[in-house]
Amino acid sequence: MARVLSVDGRAPEPLSGPWELLLTAPEACPGPGDLAGREGWIPALVPGTAAAALKAAGLWSAAAPTPLHESDIWYRTRFAGSGRACLRFEGLATLAEVWLNGVLVLSSRSMFLAHAVEVDLAGDNTLAIRFRALSVELAKPHKRGRWRPRLATPGSLRHVRTSLLGFMPGWCPSVDAVGPYRPVTLEALSDRGPRVLSADLRSDLDGETGRLSLRLAVANASGPALLRCAGHAAPLRAVAPGLYEADLALPGVAAWWPHTHGEPVLHAVEAEIGGVRIDLGRTGFRRLVIDRTGDGFALRINGVPVFCRGACWTPPDLVGLSGTEAAYRPVLDLVRAAGMNMLRVGGTMLYEAAAFHDLCDALGILVWQDLMLANFDYPTDDPAFRDQLTREVVQLLDRTQMSPSLCVVGGGSEVWQQAAMLGFPREAWSGGFVEESLPGLVAASRPDLASVPNSPSGGDVPFAAEAGVAHYYGVGAYLRPLEDARRAGVRFATECLAFAHVPEPASLARAGLTDPEDPRWAAGVPRDRGADWDFEGVRDHYVGLLFGADPGRLRREAPERYLALGRAAAVEVIEATFAEWRRAASPTAGGLVWLLKDLAPGAGWGAIDHEGAPKAAWYALRRAFSPVQICLTDEGLNGLHVHVHNETPRPRDLVLRLAFTDAKGKAVAAAERALTVAPRSGQRFTSAALLGRFFDVTDAYRFGAPAHALGHAELCDAATGAVLAEAFHHPLGRDVAPGETGLSARLIRDGAGWALEIAAGRHAFGVAIDLDGATAASRPEDNHFHLAPGRTRTIPLLGRPETAPRGRVVALNALETCSFGGEDA
């Protein structure tokens, strides 16, 4: 059933309490009657978790999380109400029993299922929920799977429908998810006035015409009935008692686009029966096609190929699992600001709340949604498990039926890969529910979506990069050279480029993690369980490869320099890889980095730290993902190729400049060209064509000492001269030996706020703005960038309208340190 927001302005009321919570030993209180006289109750918020309630009471710490799966946890509240009503539970983690006025009305074994229970209220009502100790269930004898992954423990998790968050050592903190983490609501049921029993709503885009169909089951309905959307209306036909249908055509409707390619336009939908309005929310009209040509996987939206880029999602609040707009908005704003147009909710996480999908719809961010299946050999041949999983899929599709941002439903994460890497033959891991049932379930409710059986999948082995969807870690965990991003022939990377990304200095200071030799530092570095290496070692490898540095020595002797080079290495890898994947001849149609946001303090996988502040990697992604972009690729004897992208819906008049400078910043070759780039298209140029003559731009021919040390391309708006994008090429390698660059920084007023005017006489490599107290809201607009010789950049400092900010500007190859701010700012 599609979401119904309200009927005649009336929506289900949240049972917001006051609630209270009590921990007991397992089975100490089998029912609510056994709670009499028990002490130790504390206040609790619903929706919320036991960890969040205990934290608020000073009884739980994220630094040393108290195990909660060892206890039974009770919630209870009292509320007034009489007559017939419907209690809805949108998410109970995980083994839950619900009593109303001492009577058991619901038992649930899945944190991923919602429940609706019709009850009779008695005036003064008591609602009690017991969350049974999950450890007791996990300790019971279970049939063992054919393989045992190292990702999560214990192996009996394969039988329980709960999130793997908290069960993955080396990946995230051991925070136990227990409680009514999604809303509990109450809806009075009456024989008077219409009551929606079900709603099946479909939207599509046929050329320039939107099409909307509705099948609505309503009790107690009478009178004229209409379906309305975007200024159009169609009659709802009564096809049976209480059953209505309508088909609505919307010629010339504004289409929905991912924000990189257009406007994510949404339209309100409502039905009216007998003068009673039924609010069905908002939807967008778009046409999605999956192109699998040549063993590939690519999205076309409204007929346009879309290069999908973004990250793998992590919950913004690991402790409370908040599903509110306030929790999602800051993170999703950063997603959009970085030019990301896709997020993947992987099978190790949990299904996000309605507010997440509503915001992704409004912000134009595509969603790849995995089922919550990861690595384990799940018992999908067991009828009870299969039925539970089927209900889970149906509910997911129903509650997101209006969501245009949802584009792909996947059958989970690395289940096939796990088995194949352990040597099992194809018949042992392929097929099953994700191939036999999932496509039909998706087609029945959301025929506008694509489905894939697993992430990764598609090749002779499921983890082959050159077919289907891949988890690509050639550049990254497998320590391959940067050229492997092209050599691997990646079609679509639903995971890639995992590094232990170093947070900004202000974030490290707040976390007390300024010394990488401190034993506490290692706790924030992710690793695969059982591996004798971690992802800091991966980052260190690329520090040595790119900069010729000894990371071990720097770590001991110059920790600040060590961390700065670590940030820069990730930046270089990210920008080089996506420049390669976005070029016109690349077979790659998408890349999603692992991960979006850290789950704990330290150098985690996230491009955003655990507080929500961008890291160096986020700034690199922002530049790499720009809809109007210029990229350079080294084609060896064929010189440099210059790639210009314009994904926006309008033509762009641009000026392309290409310059080659020596070590002193003097130009030795240059070219300029005016061009118009059509909407949602790109152009490619060779360096020879732009220069009009031979110049060994890649130092491939080796006729003598190279004449230049830097190649620099920039793309400017033809009307304003504003620089829209830049790209750099270092033919002699990335020399970061400190020297005189003439780096300078000046704090200036920028309207109501502040900005930094940064300049350098010579090339400044990896210019970093270390802003005192930097946070997600108070940060530089750009950071960790290169500055071409003789150029000046003005960088707004966001979120500082009143006080003059303080900090410093440095570059990896500069002896100069430029302080700014203070009383004389």
Side-chain angles (χ1 to χ4, degrees), residues 699-771:
D699 191 32
Y701 290 90
R702 305 178 65 191
F703 289 152
H708 70 292
L710 178 72
H712 171 233
E714 65 180 5
L715 202 61
C716 302
D717 184 274
T720 66
V723 177
L724 304 175
E726 294 181 276
F728 295 82
H729 180 252
H730 302 88
L732 307 182
R734 296 165 172 86
D735 183 6
V736 293
E740 298 288 345
T741 65
L743 182 70
S744 66
R746 185 169 68 95
L747 188 64
I748 61 173
R749 271 301 214 179
D750 180 32
W754 300 89
L756 280 173
E757 199 174 74
I758 303 174
R762 298 182 181 181
H763 172 48
F765 190 107
V767 176
I769 302 169
D770 180 3
L771 187 62

Side-chain angles (χ1 to χ4, degrees), residues 27 110 144 188-189 321 338 404 440 493-494 554 606 623 640 695 740 780:
E27 297 299 329
S110 171
R144 292 184 61 175
L189 302 181
L321 300 181
T494 46
L554 286 173
R623 292 188 291 270
L640 288 179
F695 182 72
E740 298 288 345

Side-chain angles (χ1 to χ4, degrees), residues 629-652:
Q629 175 68 305
I630 189 167
C631 303
L632 295 175
T633 57
D634 187 330
E635 305 295 335
L637 296 177
N638 294 320
L640 288 179
H641 284 187
V642 183
H643 308 271
V644 177
H645 306 283
N646 174 29
E647 295 174 331
T648 69
R650 67 181 191 276
R652 301 298 295 259

